[in-house]
Structures are given as structure tokens and as C-alpha cells.
Amino acid sequence: MGDLNTPDRIHHLLQAQVSTRPDTVLLCLEEGGTVTYAQMWQRANAARDWLVAQGARPGDRVMIIGENCAEMVQALFACSLLGAWAVGLNARLSAREVEAVRAHARPVLTLYFSRSSNAAAVHAEQGTGTALAAEASVWQDGNRWAPAVQRPEPETGPEASGVATLIYTSGTTGAPKAVMVPHRGLVHFARVSSASRRLTADDISYAALPLSHIFGIATVLMATVQVGASLVVRRRFDPADLLQALESPGLSILQGVPTMYTRLLAAFPAPVKAPRLRYVYAGGSALDPTLKRQVEHYFGVPMHHGYGITEYAGSLYVTSMDAPRSDCSAGYPLEGVELRLGAPGTPDVPMGESGPIHVRGPGVMLGYYKDPERTREALLPGAWLCTGDLGRLEADGALFITGRTKDMIIRSGFNVYPLEVEAVINTFPGVKLSAVVGRGTADGNEEVIAFFEPLQTGAVDVDALRLHVRAQLAPYKVPAQILPIDTIPTTVSGKIKKQPLRDLVR
């Protein structure tokens, strides 16, 4: 077991700040008011004791349904203190999705943070069993909980004490998987991530990314706690609220997925003043060069980028603060990360060519919960993790993400990477967002199908857009169809969901 000098559980990060800056603000709440580091430590310990009183034990799963709020942070650290596994779910998931997770994870109890989320309140009414009022002295009025109908057994295997949280993947490439995220990975990433961004206790970050997602937990929350900085916590992203927060309390760090920035620029296109903003970062999915230029003009600071996956606790690559890039590279490896293109034991992919990304390091997941087959497919000999992504390395070591293995389209024997086609479409005036998928043809070939979301309905001349695309892409990359759509579907964390688009063009 670690201590404050060598932390090995995420609650040690919080505990370390309590000993040095107890009265520093950790959370600036959406409803007003703040929570200091000392107050969060007290809340987490009280919640741990409450969980024990309800019969929770180390290795049990505790399901947490809500939208970003103080209680979600409290529950995450309480589970760490107990040795239980937090299973955080965004309350905006459907009842079907929530029940599928419940059936798979078999939590000992479920917490519904309905005080700050109407969606969580609906789940409390619809959930298995009867939701009870949570003890106000621990969870505040308005929150609810429900014990399991049949008490599950705690996990006691070799990985039981190492799991901080189960994160269910968004299912953009198939059925969701439960990633066992290790304490050691989150603790390691908190240190190297905060150092790479030069975070200090004076920084204020924006937390609208779901705290049930690896980006929100690792990059936003844990790196902030590592240095004793502050978070402006919001249930969901709202462009007007972000602009207000840039002024007061004065955000210095802004991190989000590309679609967050796209929606900000669509709602408020004029550049803004952000007096304290020093670092802007986009992760979670590929960065479009047009969006990067627009955001840099908008804020007047470089836009940084990185590469991370749920199966690795935090980012693997980030761009350097000392040398901001003009392109959309994901940057350079963080401490402890090793990367190779191609499976272990196969020849190296030549410099500048695309290949499947494999990584290893302290953040690699402990496996997919209750899924040994998919765990074997992902965790390869030599501790290598097959990411399912495609990338290329340049001579200076910079990584460029070229797509997902399952997203790649094979057209007449040629590989088509949707990211390249999307980047061209996104440069056309009036296009807000685009997504490219493949569609099988009767002769066993694939054709390229593109969807785009316009800034305003009917504002894009589709024929002119087709000419624009043909002028900039090889013929085999040109979409057979370019289709307008009211809204490109995204996950609750802002990633584009391609499966619903594939379903539309079958």
C-alpha cells in the first residue's frame, strides 16, 4: 500500500493536497458555492463509511449515475478509500444502456445523483428495485440510492485491488466493453500529464467533460488534484456558460473534444477575450486542421492536441508546450509510453506509412471485465496493447492518427481513411461537422459515404461541396454520396458515433 510520497491509489492524490493546502478550492459548483480539498476529503471519508454501513466491501462494484457534480467526485474517491470499483455512468444514457451495464457489472448498490440531474432522477424511478433517499448528511438532500436485488460477490482475483474504476466504452465500434482502469495508471498519468501542461495550484480548469469518461477522470480531474488546482464543474457543455467562466472565475486551462469547440464557434463566432487562458487542448478524437486554425484565432493561443484511449489511463501522446505544432499531430510520447506500429513480432512499418498502433506502459488496462476473449485480443505478449487505431510516425517522432482499424474503407483495393476525407469536407464554408463511413457493394467492394451537419439548415450547396471534394482528393477517395443531416450523432463525451450513420446507408 502506498503513502503520500509514493501514492498507489487515487485517493492518495487528494489526501496529499489536504496536508498542504486544505483550504484551496477544488470545485467551483454550477449551483454556486465551492468545495475545498479538505471538505472533499471529509466528504469522501464519510461516504466510504456510509458504503461500509450498506454492506459494501473491497472488490464490490458501486454504480454511480449522474452528471458532473461534487457527489460524483466524492463517490469516486470514496470507492478508492474502500477498495471498491466505481462504475460511473452519465445520466444521459438511455434506460436500456443503464440496465445493460447493471446486468453486466452487478453492482452492490447504485447511487443516483438526482439532486443536480433530472435524468438521474428518471433512472432512479425506472431502475431495478426501489430507490431510497440517500442520507443527507453524507450525500445531500435530493440524491437517491438502491441496493442490489440480489447481493453480488465482490471480486477477489489478482486484479481486484488494482482497479480504480470500470469504464464502459461508448460502443462506437460495436458492443460496449468494461475497461478495468488501474489505480497505478491514473496516479502515474496525473503526475506526467500535469507536468506536460505545467499545471500549478493557480490554474483553473473547466470540467464539462463527463466524469464517467477517461478524459474527464484522468486528464481533467486527476491532473488537477495532482497539483492542487481548481475545477469549474458543469453538468454538460454550454457555450454561453463557458464564455462566462472564461471571465469569472477566469479559466486558465480549457480541455475538450473537438465537437465542443465546433459548437462553441457555431454559437458565438466572434473571437473572445479570455484574460487568464493560457492552454487550450483538444483530445478524445481526431483534430481537424480547419478547426485548429479557427480556435487559435478565436482564443489567440496555440491549440494543443493529444492521443488517448479508454484502455490506457490518460493520454499517450501530447504536443509540446515549448513547440506548438501548426499541423494536427498528436505530439510526442508521455513518460513511460512505448509505441510501435504493427503487431509485436512483425516487421516495423516504414517511417511515414500508416499502421496499427500498439502501446505499452503503466496506464494499460487490466483487461475487459468478464470478457477474457476480447482481453486476449487486446492484450498481447510482451504487455503490448492493441489499440484498434491507425497511425503514422514522422522522422521527428511525432504521431499522426490516421483512423480506426474498423473505420478504414477499402475502395477498389485502395485504403481510404475517413479522417482525410472529413478534413477536406470540413474546410467547405457552412459545414459544421462531417463523418465518413463505408458501405458494402454487391461486388464485394466498398464505397465512401459522407454525412455533414451544416451550420444552418440549407446553407450548404451540396453540388458545390462535391466539386470542392473532387478537386482535393484522389478519385477513389471521393464519396459516392454526400448527405446533409440535421445532427451528426455523438456520444455523451462528444465522440462521433458512426454506427448509426452506417445503419442509415445499409
Side-chain angles (χ1 to χ4, degrees):
M1 182 65 66
D3 56 31
L4 300 189
N5 295 317
T6 57
D8 63 8
R9 288 180 180 267
I10 58 174
H11 71 265
H12 291 143
L13 303 179
L14 177 63
Q15 186 178 11
Q17 297 306 326
V18 173
S19 66
T20 56
R21 49 177 61 85
D23 298 326
T24 296
V25 170
L26 168 57
L27 306 179
C28 301
L29 304 177
E30 187 165 2
E31 64 270 25
T34 60
V35 179
T36 67
Y37 278 87
Q39 289 169 335
M40 180 52 69
W41 180 244
Q42 292 167 354
R43 289 189 183 191
N45 277 276
R48 184 268 315 274
D49 295 343
W50 181 88
L51 289 171
V52 171
Q54 311 315 317
R57 296 171 287 182
D60 274 326
R61 283 75 61 208
V62 175
M63 197 152 85
I64 301 161
I65 299 176
E67 297 174 79
N68 289 3
C69 59
E71 292 94 318
M72 290 195 77
V73 177
Q74 176 186 359
L76 185 63
F77 285 120
C79 287
S80 176
L81 282 160
L82 174 59
W85 300 7
V87 185
L89 295 182
N90 191 295
R92 282 175 277 164
L93 294 175
S94 69
R96 179 192 60 79
E97 291 168 314
V98 168
E99 291 309 310
V101 170
R102 192 195 310 277
H104 184 265
R106 298 196 65 219
V108 67
L109 61 86
T110 301
L111 290 161
Y112 301 94
F113 293 133
S114 46
R115 178 186 66 86
S116 57
S117 170
N118 291 333
V122 171
H123 285 301
E125 294 298 325
Q126 296 177 341
T128 302
T130 302
L132 310 169
E135 188 173 332
S137 62
V138 177
W139 297 112
Q140 301 191 59
D141 282 328
N143 293 310
R144 304 181 73 80
W145 75 283
V149 175
Q150 290 185 314
R151 204 230 182 272
E153 288 301 310
E155 292 296 331
T156 57
E159 77 283 348
S161 64
V163 175
T165 181
L166 285 182
I167 296 181
Y168 280 77
T169 62
S170 56
T172 55
T173 58
K177 297 169 283 190
V179 176
M180 295 188 287
V181 180
H183 280 281
R184 67 169 187 174
L186 290 173
V187 168
H188 172 82
F189 179 74
R191 178 176 62 81
V192 299
S193 174
S194 59
S196 75
R197 295 167 171 84
R198 296 179 187 156
L199 297 181
T200 72
D202 294 327
D203 278 313
I204 302 175
S205 295
Y206 194 65
L209 291 168
L211 293 175
S212 51
H213 184 273
I214 194 64
F215 197 164
I217 292 173
T219 303
V220 177
L221 177 60
M222 293 302 159
T224 296
V225 174
Q226 168 74 28
V227 299
S230 301
L231 283 178
V232 174
V233 177
R234 295 295 184 261
R235 287 172 292 175
R236 58 187 72 187
F237 174 66
D238 176 75
D241 176 77
L242 172 58
L243 295 186
Q244 177 60 42
L246 287 166
E247 293 186 13
S248 178
L251 301 177
S252 59
I253 308 292
L254 181 59
Q255 298 168 126
V257 293
T259 52
M260 185 185 90
Y261 296 101
T262 298
R263 285 165 182 163
L264 171 65
L265 270 59
F268 297 97
V272 300
K273 292 182 179 180
R276 295 194 67 232
L277 188 64
R278 66 171 185 85
Y279 185 85
V280 175
Y281 175 88
S285 59
L287 178 60
D288 178 81
T290 301
L291 178 63
K292 176 178 165 65
R293 289 193 298 270
Q294 291 172 336
V295 171
E296 290 179 339
H297 174 69
Y298 194 80
F299 288 121
V301 297
M303 186 177 211
H304 289 275
H305 186 39
Y307 166 60
I309 55 176
T310 305
E311 287 84 351
Y312 195 95
S315 300
L316 293 144
Y317 273 59
V318 295
T319 50
S320 169
M321 289 193 64
D322 292 324
R325 300 187 65 97
S326 59
D327 55 30
C328 290
S329 166
Y332 306 93
L334 287 168
E335 178 190 321
V337 173
E338 295 180 71
L339 179 145
R340 65 166 286 130
L341 300 181
T346 62
D348 290 338
V349 173
M351 191 71 65
E353 293 188 15
S354 183
I357 296 173
H358 294 74
V359 298
R360 63 183 176 187
V364 169
M365 68 171 181
L366 299 179
Y368 295 116
Y369 185 46
K370 296 181 181 177
D371 199 338
E373 181 177 346
R374 287 203 280 191
T375 295
R376 283 191 297 270
E377 292 173 355
L379 296 180
L380 306 180
W384 288 100
L385 168 68
C386 177
T387 67
D389 292 318
L390 298 167
R392 73 174 192 273
L393 290 169
E394 297 298 324
D396 65 352
L399 174 68
F400 289 79
I401 305 302
T402 55
R404 283 198 61 81
T405 306
K406 293 182 180 179
D407 284 345
M408 188 176 71
I409 302 164
I410 301 177
R411 173 69 178 164
S412 301
F414 293 96
N415 294 343
V416 179
Y417 300 106
L419 291 178
E420 181 183 6
V421 182
E422 291 160 2
V424 171
I425 295 173
N426 290 344
T427 64
F428 193 76
V431 171
K432 180 178 180 181
L433 196 63
S434 68
V436 169
V437 298
R439 177 172 65 187
T441 60
D443 60 1
N445 205 349
E446 279 190 290
E447 57 186 5
V448 181
I449 307 295
F451 293 86
F452 72 90
E453 179 182 335
L455 286 167
Q456 296 178 333
T457 302
V460 175
D461 183 332
V462 179
D463 290 334
L465 174 56
R466 287 195 187 96
L467 293 174
H468 167 79
V469 171
R470 286 174 183 160
Q472 299 190 53
L473 292 172
Y476 70 88
K477 299 177 185 177
V478 174
Q481 289 181 279
I482 302 178
L483 306 169
I485 188 171
D486 291 340
T487 304
I488 297 284
T490 60
T491 68
V492 292
S493 59
K495 284 188 178 182
I496 292 174
K497 296 169 66 174
K498 293 198 172 182
Q499 191 55 51
L501 300 177
R502 294 188 185 99
D503 292 341
L504 290 175
V505 296
R506 280 181 177 173

